[in-house]
Amino acid sequence: VTSSSCGTIDVGNGLYFSQNGTREAVTQFLDLRQADGVSFYLMTTSSTNCDGLDSGETVELSIRAGHGSWTTLQSFSNAASTYSYVQFPDNMKVHSAQLRWMQNVPAITAYDVWTIDSIEVHGIYDRTACSTACISDNFNFGSYSTSVWSSITQS
């Protein structure tokens, strides 16, 4: 769900996770051979309208090559509208990779809410390759782009 229910993180709406169960966002397969890293805004703290992550709960950014195992790049907790840039390890700069943002424990509706916004992969110098390499989504059109996301789960 795209929303600004917990406040604006960067500009307008963000991808808002507030439902029961598993919460994750997984990109389509990306060509990261020329990529450096990914930047995004993340909010996991409590605000006037929202309950943030509790102690021990995190949002993890992971990567995988092909259909291999997920590798955690970084874990985030208690981030109040934080801008992050995470560099890709050289062994993950491959033709077919996916990125995933996922809460480390299942959640209860309206609790442990988190939002991501303004996601962008950096370092693609040949912009003609963007159809398979670049992602950029600021969620401001009231939905998310199915050309960017393989799955958005809140179940």
Side-chain angles (χ1 to χ4, degrees):
V1 173
T2 60
S3 176
S4 59
S5 295
C6 290
T8 299
I9 298 176
D10 183 28
V11 177
N13 291 331
L15 188 57
Y16 172 71
F17 291 87
S18 64
Q19 299 300 310
N20 266 344
T22 300
R23 296 176 181 167
E24 69 178 3
V26 180
T27 65
Q28 297 286 357
F29 284 96
L30 305 168
D31 183 344
L32 298 181
R33 291 176 291 181
Q34 296 179 40
D36 295 328
V38 62
S39 65
F40 55 95
Y41 285 86
L42 175 68
M43 182 167 58
T44 62
T45 58
S46 297
S47 68
T48 305
N49 301 325
C50 295
D51 176 71
L53 297 182
D54 296 326
S55 178
E57 296 174 338
T58 62
V59 173
E60 299 174 351
L61 171 60
S62 302
I63 191 170
R64 72 175 175 181
H67 293 281
S69 299
W70 290 103
T71 300
T72 301
L73 296 176
Q74 195 164 340
S75 295
F76 302 88
S77 60
N78 229 3
S81 300
T82 300
Y83 173 83
S84 296
Y85 176 83
V86 179
Q87 201 163 21
F88 298 137
D90 287 339
N91 67 329
M92 290 295 172
K93 294 180 182 180
V94 297
H95 179 268
S96 183
Q98 287 182 292
L99 299 174
R100 175 180 70 179
W101 286 261
M102 181 177 171
Q103 190 168 337
N104 69 329
V105 294
I108 299 170
T109 298
Y111 290 94
D112 312 326
V113 172
W114 55 280
T115 307
I116 55 176
D117 196 6
S118 298
I119 299 167
E120 186 173 353
V121 170
H122 295 271
I124 306 298
Y125 302 108
D126 176 7
R127 295 318 246 178
T128 61
C130 280
S131 63
T132 59
C134 301
I135 65 167
S136 181
D137 203 339
N138 63 12
F139 309 103
N140 282 338
F141 296 106
S143 64
Y144 59 87
S145 171
T146 55
S147 65
V148 171
W149 301 102
S150 171
S151 66
I152 305 290
T153 305
Q154 296 194 69
S155 59

